Amino acid sequence: MLTLPPALTAYILLLAVIHLRVLLPPEMENWTIDVFGFIPKRYDTTLLDITFPGGAGAKVWTFVTYSLLHANLTHIGFNVLWLLPFGSALARRFGALRFFLFMAVTAAAGALAHLVTHEHAIAPMIGASASVSGTMAAAIRFAFVKGSFLSFSRGDADAAAKVPALPLSRALRDGRVLGFLAVWFGVNIVFGVGSLAIGGGDNVTVAWQAHIGGFLAGLLLFSLFDPVPRVRDDAADASSVDQSGRV
């Protein structure tokens, strides 16, 4: 998992280079967040208008660009940590173009979920967590299949990333997938109810609705990006049993 595919390496390097914005003077850094961060109030026409930098174009590109900005090193490090196993598997499976497009689509889904639940919010949302959540959701469509990276009989990294995925209906009947979903949603609900902060900041909270939006997009849209032929429903049970006989 630590031998990163080129697409994921490029993505992480992009995040790191963009994070160098913290070296800018404070007024320029704030301008960068206002132009490229996702601000729900930018789309609000029911209250007093506020002019944000970036104009009409920012209403389009911030659905994706917010995911390339991070609050601090803890924030970016946490996201990269989760990308190492799940992002690596998807980058190997999808290839560079599909992987980057997938990250953009799941980021947009996270932004949409945040917009729906924070209609009048003026605070910018930043961070790749929605896309990271999407990679986790997509990866569990094949992660537990025999030979994949969370099975007991996994192969090498490339082979593990390219096993046939389970149909969604079959995956949602797999106890391991359901257990993963229960833990993931439980943790995000705890974050949301407790309003836990990212990286110890007093005013930076977890945008857990965006996580859920990205996660659901990754789970439901995985098939649109997947180039590996799907396992048949009648073969799904056999393909999900590893060599030790465990299901």
Side-chain angles (χ1 to χ4, degrees):
M1 289 187 292
L2 296 180
T3 305
L4 300 184
L8 182 58
T9 300
Y11 183 78
I12 292 174
L13 287 176
L14 178 62
L15 296 182
V17 170
I18 289 175
H19 193 63
L20 293 177
R21 75 171 209 288
V22 298
L23 301 178
L24 296 172
E27 61 274 10
M28 290 190 65
E29 183 185 358
N30 291 336
W31 178 87
T32 301
I33 293 176
D34 286 342
V35 172
F36 298 104
F38 188 81
I39 305 174
K41 186 73 173 76
R42 202 190 302 272
Y43 308 89
D44 186 357
T45 60
T46 62
L47 299 178
L48 182 65
D49 283 342
I50 299 177
T51 301
F52 293 97
K59 292 184 176 182
V60 178
W61 66 60
T62 56
F63 269 88
V64 175
T65 56
Y66 83 92
S67 67
L68 303 177
L69 302 170
H70 288 82
N72 49 45
L73 288 177
T74 300
H75 190 196
I76 193 172
F78 189 80
N79 281 332
V80 169
L81 179 64
W82 284 108
L83 277 175
L84 293 180
F86 297 100
S88 288
L90 278 194
R92 294 178 193 280
R93 187 181 187 93
F94 288 171
L97 182 59
R98 284 189 178 93
F99 176 72
F100 293 137
L101 182 58
F102 177 86
M103 298 299 279
V105 168
T106 49
L112 181 60
H114 185 72
L115 177 61
V116 170
T117 54
H118 295 77
E119 184 179 2
H120 306 302
I122 197 170
M125 178 180 69
I126 58 175
S129 298
S131 294
V132 172
S133 298
T135 66
M136 297 171 73
I140 64 171
R141 292 286 300 273
F142 61 90
F144 297 106
V145 175
K146 184 176 71 173
S148 194
F149 68 102
L150 290 183
S151 74
F152 291 100
S153 55
R154 56 186 173 271
D156 61 46
D158 286 325
K162 295 179 180 177
V163 299
L166 295 175
L168 180 58
S169 59
R170 175 64 182 89
L172 293 178
R173 296 197 302 270
D174 188 301
R176 296 161 299 182
V177 173
L178 292 176
F180 185 96
L181 291 173
V183 171
W184 190 91
F185 277 98
V187 168
N188 275 275
I189 289 172
V190 168
F191 272 115
V193 172
S195 296
L196 299 181
I198 298 174
D202 293 332
N203 298 314
V204 182
T205 57
V206 174
W208 61 278
Q209 296 95 334
H211 296 186
I212 292 176
F215 190 92
L216 291 176
L219 185 68
L220 298 175
L221 302 180
F222 167 78
S223 299
L224 299 180
F225 295 88
D226 190 19
V228 180
R230 191 65 32 80
V231 65
R232 303 189 316 272
D233 278 314
D234 59 358
D237 288 330
S239 68
S240 61
V241 178
D242 64 31
Q243 292 176 349
S244 67
R246 299 183 177 124
V247 178

